[in-house]
Coordinates of all heavy atoms in Angstrom, one line a residue:
M1487 N -115.7 78.3 142.3 CA -116.1 77.2 141.4 C -117.6 77.2 141.2 O -118.0 76.9 140.1 CB -115.7 75.9 142.1 CG -115.9 74.6 141.4 SD -114.9 74.6 139.9 CE -115.3 73.0 139.3
R1488 N -118.4 77.5 142.2 CA -119.8 77.5 142.0 C -120.2 78.6 141.0 O -121.1 78.3 140.2 CB -120.5 77.8 143.3 CG -122.0 77.9 143.2 CD -122.7 77.7 144.5 NE -124.1 78.1 144.6 CZ -125.1 77.6 143.9 NH1 -124.9 76.6 143.1 NH2 -126.3 78.1 144.0
D1489 N -119.5 79.7 141.0 CA -119.9 80.8 140.0 C -119.6 80.3 138.5 O -120.4 80.6 137.6 CB -119.1 82.0 140.2 CG -119.6 82.7 141.5 OD1 -120.7 82.5 141.9 OD2 -118.8 83.5 142.1
R1490 N -118.5 79.5 138.4 CA -118.2 79.0 137.0 C -119.2 78.0 136.6 O -119.6 78.0 135.4 CB -116.8 78.4 137.0 CG -115.7 79.4 137.0 CD -114.4 78.7 136.8 NE -113.3 79.7 136.8 CZ -112.1 79.4 136.9 NH1 -111.7 78.1 136.9 NH2 -111.2 80.3 136.9
L1491 N -119.7 77.2 137.5 CA -120.7 76.2 137.1 C -122.0 76.8 136.8 O -122.7 76.4 135.9 CB -120.9 75.2 138.3 CG -119.7 74.2 138.5 CD1 -120.0 73.3 139.7 CD2 -119.6 73.3 137.2
A1492 N -122.3 77.9 137.6 CA -123.6 78.6 137.3 C -123.5 79.3 135.9 O -124.5 79.3 135.1 CB -123.9 79.6 138.4
Q1493 N -122.3 79.9 135.6 CA -122.2 80.5 134.3 C -122.2 79.5 133.2 O -122.8 79.8 132.1 CB -120.8 81.3 134.2 CG -120.8 82.5 135.1 CD -119.5 83.2 135.1 OE1 -118.5 82.6 134.7 NE2 -119.4 84.4 135.6
A1494 N -121.6 78.4 133.4 CA -121.6 77.3 132.3 C -123.0 76.8 132.1 O -123.5 76.6 131.0 CB -120.7 76.2 132.7
G1495 N -123.8 76.6 133.2 CA -125.1 76.2 133.1 C -126.0 77.2 132.4 O -126.9 76.8 131.6
T1496 N -125.8 78.4 132.7 CA -126.6 79.5 132.1 C -126.3 79.5 130.6 O -127.2 79.7 129.8 CB -126.2 80.9 132.7 OG1 -126.5 80.8 134.1 CG2 -127.0 82.0 132.1
A1497 N -125.0 79.4 130.2 CA -124.7 79.4 128.8 C -125.3 78.2 128.1 O -125.8 78.3 127.0 CB -123.2 79.4 128.6
F1498 N -125.2 77.0 128.7 CA -125.8 75.8 128.1 C -127.3 75.9 127.9 O -127.8 75.6 126.9 CB -125.4 74.6 128.9 CG -126.0 73.3 128.4 CD1 -125.6 72.8 127.2 CD2 -127.1 72.7 129.0 CE1 -126.1 71.7 126.6 CE2 -127.7 71.6 128.5 CZ -127.2 71.1 127.3
T1499 N -128.0 76.4 129.0 CA -129.5 76.5 128.9 C -129.9 77.6 127.9 O -130.9 77.4 127.2 CB -130.1 76.7 130.3 OG1 -129.6 77.8 130.9 CG2 -129.9 75.5 131.1
G1500 N -129.1 78.6 127.9 CA -129.4 79.7 126.9 C -129.2 79.2 125.5 O -130.0 79.4 124.6
F1501 N -128.1 78.4 125.2 CA -127.9 77.8 123.9 C -129.1 76.9 123.6 O -129.6 76.9 122.5 CB -126.6 77.1 123.9 CG -126.4 76.3 122.6 CD1 -126.0 76.9 121.5 CD2 -126.6 74.9 122.6 CE1 -125.8 76.2 120.3 CE2 -126.4 74.2 121.4 CZ -126.0 74.8 120.3
L1502 N -129.5 76.0 124.5 CA -130.6 75.1 124.3 C -131.9 75.8 124.0 O -132.6 75.4 123.1 CB -130.7 74.2 125.5 CG -131.7 73.0 125.4 CD1 -131.4 72.1 124.2 CD2 -131.8 72.3 126.7
G1503 N -132.2 76.9 124.7 CA -133.4 77.7 124.5 C -133.4 78.3 123.1 O -134.4 78.2 122.4
V1504 N -132.2 78.9 122.7 CA -132.1 79.5 121.4 C -132.2 78.4 120.3 O -132.8 78.6 119.2 CB -130.8 80.3 121.2 CG1 -130.6 80.7 119.8 CG2 -130.9 81.5 122.1
A1505 N -131.6 77.2 120.5 CA -131.6 76.1 119.6 C -133.1 75.7 119.3 O -133.4 75.3 118.2 CB -130.8 75.0 120.0
L1506 N -133.9 75.6 120.3 CA -135.3 75.2 120.2 C -136.0 76.2 119.3 O -136.8 75.8 118.4 CB -136.0 75.1 121.5 CG -135.6 73.9 122.3 CD1 -136.1 74.0 123.8 CD2 -136.2 72.6 121.7
V1507 N -135.8 77.5 119.5 CA -136.5 78.5 118.7 C -135.9 78.5 117.2 O -136.7 78.6 116.3 CB -136.3 79.9 119.3 CG1 -136.8 81.0 118.4 CG2 -136.9 80.0 120.7
V1508 N -134.6 78.3 117.0 CA -134.1 78.2 115.7 C -134.6 77.0 115.0 O -135.0 77.1 113.8 CB -132.5 78.2 115.8 CG1 -131.9 77.8 114.4 CG2 -132.0 79.5 116.2
F1509 N -134.8 75.9 115.7 CA -135.3 74.7 115.1 C -136.8 74.9 114.6 O -137.2 74.5 113.5 CB -135.3 73.5 116.0 CG -136.0 72.3 115.6 CD1 -135.5 71.5 114.5 CD2 -137.1 71.8 116.2 CE1 -136.1 70.4 114.0 CE2 -137.8 70.7 115.7 CZ -137.3 70.0 114.6
G1510 N -137.5 75.6 115.5 CA -138.9 76.0 115.1 C -138.9 76.9 113.9 O -139.8 76.7 113.0
G1511 N -138.0 77.9 113.9 CA -138.0 78.8 112.7 C -137.6 78.1 111.4 O -138.1 78.3 110.4
Y1512 N -136.7 77.1 111.6 CA -136.3 76.3 110.4 C -137.5 75.5 109.9 O -137.7 75.5 108.6 CB -135.2 75.3 110.8 CG -134.7 74.3 109.8 CD1 -133.8 74.7 108.8 CD2 -135.3 73.0 109.8 CE1 -133.4 73.8 107.8 CE2 -134.9 72.1 108.8 CZ -134.0 72.5 107.8 OH -133.6 71.6 106.9
R1513 N -138.3 74.9 110.8 CA -139.5 74.2 110.3 C -140.5 75.1 109.6 O -141.1 74.7 108.6 CB -140.1 73.5 111.5 CG -139.3 72.3 112.0 CD -139.9 71.6 113.2 NE -141.4 71.5 113.2 CZ -142.0 70.4 112.7 NH1 -141.3 69.4 112.3 NH2 -143.3 70.4 112.7
V1514 N -140.7 76.3 110.2 CA -141.6 77.2 109.5 C -141.1 77.7 108.2 O -141.8 77.7 107.2 CB -141.8 78.4 110.5 CG1 -142.6 79.5 109.7 CG2 -142.6 78.0 111.7
R1515 N -139.8 78.0 108.1 CA -139.2 78.4 106.9 C -139.3 77.4 105.7 O -139.6 77.8 104.6 CB -137.7 78.7 107.1 CG -136.8 79.0 105.9 CD -137.1 80.4 105.4 NE -136.2 80.7 104.3 CZ -136.4 80.6 103.0 NH1 -137.6 80.2 102.6 NH2 -135.5 81.0 102.1
Y1516 N -139.1 76.2 106.0 CA -139.2 75.2 105.0 C -140.6 74.5 104.9 O -140.7 73.4 104.2 CB -138.1 74.1 105.2 CG -136.8 74.8 104.9 CD1 -135.9 75.2 105.9 CD2 -136.4 75.0 103.6 CE1 -134.7 75.8 105.6 CE2 -135.2 75.6 103.3 CZ -134.3 76.1 104.3 OH -133.1 76.7 104.0
G1517 N -141.6 75.0 105.5 CA -142.9 74.5 105.3 C -143.3 73.3 106.1 O -144.4 72.7 105.8
T1518 N -142.5 72.8 107.0 CA -142.8 71.6 107.7 C -143.5 71.9 109.1 O -143.9 70.9 109.8 CB -141.6 70.7 107.9 OG1 -140.6 71.4 108.6 CG2 -141.1 70.2 106.6
G1519 N -143.5 73.1 109.5 CA -144.1 73.5 110.7 C -144.9 74.8 110.6 O -144.9 75.4 109.6
T1520 N -145.6 75.1 111.7 CA -146.5 76.3 111.6 C -145.9 77.3 112.6 O -145.1 77.0 113.4 CB -147.9 76.0 112.1 OG1 -147.9 75.5 113.4 CG2 -148.5 74.9 111.1
V1521 N -146.4 78.5 112.5 CA -146.0 79.6 113.4 C -146.4 79.2 114.9 O -145.7 79.5 115.8 CB -146.6 81.0 113.0 CG1 -146.3 82.0 114.0 CG2 -146.1 81.3 111.6
E1522 N -147.5 78.6 115.0 CA -148.0 78.2 116.4 C -147.0 77.2 117.0 O -146.8 77.2 118.2 CB -149.4 77.6 116.3 CG -150.5 78.6 116.1 CD -150.6 79.0 114.6 OE1 -150.1 78.2 113.7 OE2 -151.3 80.0 114.3
E1523 N -146.5 76.3 116.1 CA -145.5 75.3 116.6 C -144.2 76.0 117.0 O -143.6 75.7 118.0 CB -145.2 74.2 115.6 CG -146.4 73.3 115.4 CD -146.2 72.3 114.3 OE1 -145.2 72.5 113.5 OE2 -146.9 71.3 114.2
L1524 N -143.9 77.0 116.2 CA -142.7 77.9 116.6 C -142.9 78.5 117.9 O -142.0 78.5 118.8 CB -142.4 78.9 115.5 CG -141.4 80.0 115.8 CD1 -140.0 79.4 116.0 CD2 -141.4 81.0 114.7
L1525 N -144.1 79.1 118.2 CA -144.4 79.7 119.5 C -144.3 78.7 120.6 O -143.8 78.9 121.7 CB -145.7 80.4 119.4 CG -146.1 81.2 120.6 CD1 -145.1 82.3 120.8 CD2 -147.5 81.8 120.4
A1526 N -144.8 77.4 120.3 CA -144.8 76.4 121.4 C -143.3 76.0 121.7 O -142.9 75.8 122.9 CB -145.5 75.2 120.9
L1527 N -142.4 76.0 120.7 CA -141.0 75.7 120.9 C -140.4 76.9 121.6 O -139.5 76.7 122.5 CB -140.3 75.4 119.6 CG -140.6 74.0 119.0 CD1 -140.0 73.9 117.6 CD2 -140.0 72.9 119.9
A1528 N -140.8 78.1 121.3 CA -140.3 79.3 122.1 C -140.7 79.2 123.6 O -139.9 79.5 124.4 CB -140.8 80.5 121.4
F1529 N -141.9 78.8 123.8 CA -142.4 78.6 125.2 C -141.5 77.6 125.9 O -141.1 77.7 127.1 CB -143.8 78.1 125.3 CG -144.9 79.1 125.1 CD1 -144.6 80.4 124.8 CD2 -146.2 78.8 125.3 CE1 -145.5 81.4 124.6 CE2 -147.2 79.8 125.2 CZ -146.9 81.1 124.8
L1530 N -141.2 76.5 125.2 CA -140.3 75.4 125.8 C -138.9 76.0 126.0 O -138.3 75.7 127.0 CB -140.3 74.2 124.9 CG -139.6 73.0 125.4 CD1 -140.1 72.5 126.7 CD2 -139.6 71.9 124.4
G1531 N -138.4 76.8 125.1 CA -137.1 77.4 125.3 C -137.0 78.3 126.5 O -136.1 78.2 127.3
V1532 N -138.1 79.1 126.7 CA -138.1 80.0 127.8 C -138.3 79.1 129.1 O -137.7 79.4 130.1 CB -139.3 81.0 127.7 CG1 -139.6 81.7 129.0 CG2 -139.0 81.9 126.6
A1533 N -139.0 78.0 129.0 CA -139.1 77.1 130.2 C -137.8 76.6 130.6 O -137.5 76.5 131.8 CB -140.1 76.0 129.9
V1534 N -137.0 76.2 129.7 CA -135.7 75.6 130.0 C -134.8 76.7 130.7 O -134.2 76.4 131.7 CB -135.0 75.1 128.7 CG1 -133.5 74.8 128.9 CG2 -135.7 73.9 128.2
V1535 N -134.7 77.9 130.1 CA -133.9 78.9 130.6 C -134.4 79.4 132.0 O -133.6 79.5 133.0 CB -133.8 80.1 129.6 CG1 -133.0 81.3 130.2 CG2 -133.1 79.6 128.4
A1536 N -135.7 79.7 132.1 CA -136.2 80.2 133.3 C -136.2 79.1 134.4 O -136.0 79.4 135.6 CB -137.6 80.7 133.1
G1537 N -136.4 77.8 134.0 CA -136.3 76.8 135.0 C -135.0 76.6 135.6 O -134.8 76.5 136.8
Y1538 N -133.9 76.7 134.7 CA -132.6 76.6 135.3 C -132.3 77.8 136.2 O -131.7 77.6 137.3 CB -131.5 76.6 134.1 CG -130.1 76.7 134.6 CD1 -129.6 75.5 135.2 CD2 -129.4 77.8 134.7 CE1 -128.3 75.5 135.7 CE2 -128.1 77.9 135.2 CZ -127.6 76.7 135.7 OH -126.3 76.8 136.2
R1539 N -132.7 79.0 135.8 CA -132.4 80.2 136.6 C -133.2 80.0 137.9 O -132.6 80.4 139.0 CB -132.9 81.4 135.9 CG -132.6 82.7 136.7 CD -132.6 83.9 136.0 NE -132.6 85.1 136.8 CZ -131.5 85.6 137.3 NH1 -130.3 85.1 137.1 NH2 -131.6 86.7 138.1
S1540 N -134.4 79.6 137.9 CA -135.1 79.4 139.2 C -134.5 78.4 140.1 O -134.4 78.6 141.3 CB -136.6 78.9 138.9 OG -137.3 79.9 138.3
L1541 N -134.0 77.3 139.5 CA -133.4 76.2 140.3 C -132.0 76.5 140.8 O -131.6 76.1 141.9 CB -133.5 74.9 139.6 CG -134.9 74.3 139.4 CD1 -134.8 73.1 138.4 CD2 -135.5 73.9 140.7
A1542 N -131.2 77.1 139.9 CA -129.8 77.2 140.2 C -129.3 78.6 140.8 O -128.4 78.7 141.5 CB -129.0 76.9 139.0
I1543 N -130.0 79.7 140.4 CA -129.5 81.0 140.7 C -130.3 81.7 141.7 O -129.8 82.4 142.6 CB -129.4 81.8 139.4 CG1 -128.4 81.1 138.5 CG2 -129.0 83.2 139.7 CD1 -128.2 81.7 137.1
H1544 N -131.7 81.6 141.7 CA -132.5 82.3 142.6 C -132.2 81.8 144.0 O -132.0 80.7 144.3 CB -134.0 82.1 142.3 CG -134.5 83.0 141.2 ND1 -135.8 82.9 140.8 CD2 -133.9 83.9 140.5 CE1 -136.0 83.8 139.8 NE2 -134.8 84.4 139.6
S1545 N -132.3 82.8 145.0 CA -132.3 82.4 146.4 C -133.7 82.1 146.8 O -134.6 82.6 146.2 CB -131.6 83.5 147.2 OG -132.3 84.7 147.1
G1546 N -133.8 81.4 147.9 CA -135.2 81.2 148.4 C -135.5 79.7 148.4 O -134.6 78.9 148.0
P1547 N -136.6 79.3 148.9 CA -137.0 77.9 149.0 C -137.0 77.2 147.7 O -137.4 77.7 146.6 CB -138.4 77.9 149.6 CG -138.6 79.3 150.1 CD -137.7 80.2 149.4
Q1548 N -136.4 76.0 147.7 CA -136.3 75.2 146.5 C -137.7 74.8 145.9 O -137.9 74.6 144.7 CB -135.4 74.0 146.7 CG -134.8 73.4 145.6 CD -133.7 74.2 144.9 OE1 -133.4 75.3 145.3 NE2 -133.1 73.7 143.8
V1549 N -138.6 74.6 146.8 CA -140.0 74.2 146.4 C -140.6 75.2 145.5 O -141.3 74.9 144.6 CB -140.8 73.8 147.6 CG1 -141.2 75.0 148.4 CG2 -142.1 73.1 147.2
N1550 N -140.3 76.5 145.8 CA -140.9 77.6 144.9 C -140.3 77.5 143.5 O -140.9 77.7 142.5 CB -140.6 78.9 145.5 CG -141.4 79.2 146.8 OD1 -142.4 78.5 147.0 ND2 -141.0 80.2 147.5
A1551 N -139.0 77.2 143.5 CA -138.3 77.1 142.2 C -138.8 75.9 141.4 O -139.0 76.0 140.2 CB -136.8 76.9 142.4
V1552 N -139.1 74.8 142.0 CA -139.7 73.6 141.4 C -141.1 73.9 140.9 O -141.5 73.6 139.7 CB -139.7 72.4 142.3 CG1 -140.5 71.2 141.7 CG2 -138.2 72.0 142.6
G1553 N -141.9 74.6 141.7 CA -143.2 75.0 141.3 C -143.2 76.0 140.1 O -144.0 75.8 139.1
N1554 N -142.2 76.9 140.0 CA -142.1 77.8 138.9 C -141.7 77.1 137.7 O -142.3 77.3 136.6 CB -141.1 78.9 139.3 CG -141.2 80.1 138.3 OD1 -140.1 80.6 137.9 ND2 -142.3 80.5 137.8
T1555 N -140.8 76.2 137.8 CA -140.4 75.4 136.6 C -141.5 74.5 136.1 O -141.7 74.4 134.9 CB -139.2 74.5 137.0 OG1 -138.1 75.3 137.5 CG2 -138.7 73.7 135.9
A1556 N -142.3 74.0 137.0 CA -143.4 73.1 136.6 C -144.5 74.0 135.9 O -145.1 73.5 134.9 CB -144.0 72.5 137.8
L1557 N -144.7 75.2 136.3 CA -145.6 76.1 135.6 C -145.1 76.4 134.2 O -145.9 76.3 133.3 CB -145.7 77.4 136.4 CG -146.7 77.5 137.5 CD1 -146.6 78.9 138.2 CD2 -148.1 77.4 136.9
F1558 N -143.9 76.7 134.0 CA -143.3 76.9 132.7 C -143.5 75.7 131.8 O -143.9 75.8 130.7 CB -141.9 77.3 132.7 CG -141.7 78.8 132.9 CD1 -141.2 79.3 134.1 CD2 -142.0 79.7 131.9 CE1 -141.0 80.7 134.3 CE2 -141.8 81.1 132.1 CZ -141.3 81.5 133.2
L1559 N -143.1 74.5 132.3 CA -143.2 73.3 131.5 C -144.6 72.9 131.2 O -145.0 72.5 130.1 CB -142.5 72.1 132.2 CG -140.9 72.3 132.3 CD1 -140.3 71.2 133.1 CD2 -140.3 72.3 130.9
G1560 N -145.5 73.1 132.2 CA -146.9 72.9 132.0 C -147.5 73.8 130.9 O -148.3 73.3 130.1
A1561 N -147.1 75.0 131.0 CA -147.6 76.0 129.9 C -147.1 75.6 128.5 O -147.9 75.6 127.6 CB -147.1 77.4 130.3
A1562 N -145.8 75.2 128.4 CA -145.3 74.8 127.1 C -146.0 73.5 126.6 O -146.4 73.4 125.5 CB -143.8 74.6 127.2
A1563 N -146.2 72.6 127.6 CA -146.9 71.3 127.2 C -148.3 71.5 126.8 O -148.8 71.0 125.8 CB -146.8 70.3 128.3
A1564 N -149.0 72.4 127.5 CA -150.5 72.6 127.2 C -150.6 73.4 125.9 O -151.4 73.0 125.1 CB -151.1 73.4 128.4
Y1565 N -149.8 74.4 125.7 CA -149.9 75.1 124.5 C -149.5 74.2 123.3 O -150.2 74.2 122.3 CB -149.0 76.4 124.5 CG -149.2 77.2 123.2 CD1 -150.3 78.0 123.1 CD2 -148.2 77.2 122.2 CE1 -150.5 78.7 121.9 CE2 -148.4 77.9 121.1 CZ -149.5 78.7 120.9 OH -149.7 79.4 119.8
G1566 N -148.4 73.5 123.4 CA -147.9 72.6 122.3 C -148.9 71.6 122.0 O -149.2 71.2 120.9
G1567 N -149.5 71.0 123.0 CA -150.5 69.9 122.8 C -151.8 70.5 122.2 O -152.4 69.9 121.3
G1568 N -152.2 71.7 122.7 CA -153.4 72.3 122.1 C -153.2 72.6 120.6 O -154.1 72.5 119.8
V1569 N -152.0 73.1 120.3 CA -151.7 73.4 118.9 C -151.7 72.2 118.0 O -152.3 72.1 116.9 CB -150.4 74.2 118.8 CG1 -149.9 74.2 117.3 CG2 -150.5 75.6 119.3
N1570 N -151.0 71.1 118.5 CA -150.8 69.9 117.7 C -152.1 69.1 117.6 O -152.3 68.5 116.6 CB -149.7 69.0 118.3 CG -148.3 69.6 118.0 OD1 -148.1 70.2 117.0 ND2 -147.4 69.3 118.9
L1571 N -152.9 69.2 118.6 CA -154.2 68.4 118.5 C -155.4 69.3 118.0 O -156.5 68.8 117.8 CB -154.6 67.9 119.9 CG -153.6 66.9 120.5 CD1 -154.0 66.5 121.9 CD2 -153.5 65.7 119.6
G1572 N -155.1 70.6 117.8 CA -156.2 71.4 117.3 C -157.2 71.8 118.3 O -158.3 72.2 117.9
V1573 N -156.9 71.8 119.5 CA -157.9 72.2 120.6 C -157.5 73.6 121.1 O -156.6 73.8 121.8 CB -157.9 71.1 121.8 CG1 -158.9 71.5 122.8 CG2 -158.1 69.7 121.3
D1574 N -158.3 74.5 120.6 CA -158.0 75.9 120.9 C -158.1 76.3 122.4 O -157.3 77.1 122.9 CB -158.9 76.9 120.1 CG -158.6 76.8 118.6 OD1 -157.5 76.5 118.2 OD2 -159.5 77.1 117.8
A1575 N -159.0 75.6 123.1 CA -159.1 75.9 124.5 C -157.9 75.5 125.3 O -157.5 76.2 126.2 CB -160.4 75.2 125.1
V1576 N -157.3 74.4 124.9 CA -156.1 73.9 125.6 C -154.9 74.9 125.3 O -154.1 75.2 126.1 CB -155.8 72.5 125.2 CG1 -154.4 72.0 125.8 CG2 -156.9 71.6 125.6
A1577 N -154.8 75.3 124.0 CA -153.8 76.2 123.7 C -153.9 77.6 124.4 O -152.9 78.1 124.9 CB -153.8 76.5 122.1
T1578 N -155.1 78.0 124.6 CA -155.4 79.3 125.3 C -155.0 79.1 126.8 O -154.5 80.0 127.4 CB -156.9 79.7 125.2 OG1 -157.1 79.8 123.8 CG2 -157.1 81.0 125.9
A1579 N -155.3 77.9 127.3 CA -155.0 77.6 128.7 C -153.4 77.6 128.9 O -152.9 78.1 129.9 CB -155.5 76.3 129.2
G1580 N -152.7 77.1 127.9 CA -151.3 77.1 127.9 C -150.7 78.5 127.9 O -149.8 78.8 128.6
Q1581 N -151.4 79.4 127.1 CA -150.9 80.8 127.1 C -151.2 81.5 128.4 O -150.3 82.2 128.9 CB -151.7 81.6 126.0 CG -151.3 81.2 124.6 CD -152.2 81.8 123.5 OE1 -153.3 82.2 123.8 NE2 -151.7 81.8 122.3
A1582 N -152.3 81.2 129.0 CA -152.6 81.7 130.4 C -151.6 81.2 131.4 O -151.1 82.0 132.2 CB -154.0 81.4 130.8
L1583 N -151.3 80.0 131.4 CA -150.3 79.4 132.3 C -149.0 80.1 132.1 O -148.2 80.3 133.1 CB -150.2 77.9 132.1 CG -151.1 77.0 132.9 CD1 -150.9 75.6 132.5 CD2 -150.9 77.2 134.4
F1584 N -148.6 80.3 130.8 CA -147.3 80.9 130.6 C -147.3 82.3 131.2 O -146.2 82.7 131.7 CB -147.1 81.0 129.1 CG -145.7 81.4 128.7 CD1 -144.6 80.5 128.8 CD2 -145.4 82.7 128.2 CE1 -143.3 80.9 128.5 CE2 -144.1 83.1 127.9 CZ -143.1 82.2 128.1
V1585 N -148.3 83.1 131.0 CA -148.4 84.5 131.6 C -148.3 84.4 133.1 O -147.5 85.2 133.8 CB -149.7 85.2 131.2 CG1 -149.9 86.5 132.0 CG2 -149.6 85.5 129.7
I1586 N -148.9 83.4 133.8 CA -148.8 83.2 135.2 C -147.4 82.9 135.6 O -146.9 83.4 136.6 CB -149.8 82.2 135.7 CG1 -151.3 82.7 135.5 CG2 -149.6 81.7 137.1 CD1 -152.3 81.6 135.7
A1587 N -146.8 82.0 134.8 CA -145.4 81.5 135.1 C -144.4 82.7 135.0 O -143.5 82.9 135.9 CB -145.0 80.4 134.2
V1588 N -144.6 83.5 134.0 CA -143.7 84.7 133.8 C -143.9 85.7 135.0 O -143.0 86.2 135.6 CB -144.0 85.4 132.5 CG1 -143.3 86.7 132.4 CG2 -143.5 84.5 131.3
A1589 N -145.2 85.9 135.4 CA -145.4 86.8 136.5 C -144.8 86.3 137.8 O -144.2 87.0 138.5 CB -146.9 87.0 136.7
Y1590 N -144.9 85.0 138.0 CA -144.4 84.4 139.2 C -142.8 84.5 139.2 O -142.2 84.7 140.2 CB -144.8 82.9 139.3 CG -144.4 82.2 140.6 CD1 -144.7 82.8 141.9 CD2 -143.7 81.0 140.5 CE1 -144.3 82.1 143.0 CE2 -143.4 80.4 141.7 CZ -143.7 80.9 142.9 OH -143.3 80.3 144.1
F1591 N -142.2 84.3 138.0 CA -140.8 84.4 137.8 C -140.3 85.8 138.2 O -139.3 86.0 138.8 CB -140.4 83.9 136.4 CG -139.0 84.0 136.1 CD1 -138.1 82.9 136.6 CD2 -138.4 85.0 135.5 CE1 -136.8 83.0 136.3 CE2 -137.0 85.1 135.2 CZ -136.2 84.0 135.6
V1592 N -141.0 86.8 137.6 CA -140.6 88.2 137.8 C -140.7 88.5 139.3 O -139.9 89.2 139.9 CB -141.5 89.1 137.0 CG1 -141.3 90.6 137.3 CG2 -141.1 88.9 135.5
V1593 N -141.8 88.1 140.0 CA -141.9 88.3 141.4 C -140.8 87.7 142.2 O -140.3 88.3 143.2 CB -143.3 87.8 141.9 CG1 -143.4 87.8 143.4 CG2 -144.4 88.6 141.3
R1594 N -140.3 86.6 141.8 CA -139.2 85.9 142.5 C -137.8 86.4 142.2 O -136.9 86.0 142.8 CB -139.2 84.4 142.2 CG -140.4 83.7 142.8 CD -140.3 82.2 142.7 NE -139.2 81.8 143.6 CZ -138.2 81.1 143.2 NH1 -138.0 80.8 141.9 NH2 -137.2 80.7 144.0
L1595 N -137.7 87.4 141.3 CA -136.3 87.9 140.9 C -135.7 88.5 142.2 O -136.3 89.1 143.0 CB -136.4 88.9 139.8 CG -136.6 88.4 138.4 CD1 -136.8 89.6 137.4 CD2 -135.5 87.5 138.0
D1596 N -134.4 88.3 142.2 CA -133.6 88.8 143.4 C -133.5 90.3 143.3 O -133.3 90.9 142.4 CB -132.3 88.2 143.4 CG -132.3 86.7 143.8 OD1 -133.3 86.3 144.4 OD2 -131.4 86.0 143.4

């Protein structure tokens, strides 16, 4: 039963992550969004998928999974906020946080 729930959760979060990117692409296509906003939505999509994987599938201490999820969400929020507010330094910090979160995620892979 646990395997089915994990597969269902993986499918749902994967769908949600792809939906965020498609929504961003739709906004760029019709001129209501920018490529930077699309990238911010892609960061958020990756945060959703990686956060679920960290919390539900990885073995190891739960506090590490929460920390990794927080890094992904913080990166998406910082980058998105920097893009929307026009503060390049905040957007760059969001990109750096995202790279750190990805590295930490890869190190934690089973």
Side-chain angles (χ1 to χ4, degrees):
M1487 182 69 176
R1488 177 161 165 67
D1489 290 338
R1490 284 188 182 169
L1491 288 175
Q1493 288 175 346
T1496 300
F1498 176 73
T1499 56
F1501 173 78
L1502 185 60
V1504 170
L1506 286 167
V1507 174
V1508 168
F1509 175 69
Y1512 175 83
R1513 286 177 44 91
V1514 169
R1515 169 75 171 97
Y1516 291 101
T1518 58
T1520 63
V1521 175
E1522 288 83 12
E1523 289 174 347
L1524 170 62
L1525 188 57
L1527 285 170
F1529 279 10
L1530 186 58
V1532 170
V1534 168
V1535 174
Y1538 175 77
R1539 179 160 171 87
S1540 289
L1541 290 170
I1543 297 174
H1544 280 179
S1545 60
Q1548 202 68 357
V1549 70
N1550 290 343
V1552 171
N1554 191 219
T1555 303
L1557 273 174
F1558 273 111
L1559 291 175
Y1565 185 75
V1569 165
N1570 286 330
L1571 297 176
V1573 182
D1574 291 337
V1576 175
T1578 303
Q1581 291 171 342
L1583 273 175
F1584 190 76
V1585 169
I1586 292 167
V1588 168
Y1590 186 55
F1591 180 80
V1592 169
V1593 166
R1594 292 192 65 239
L1595 283 176
D1596 292 334

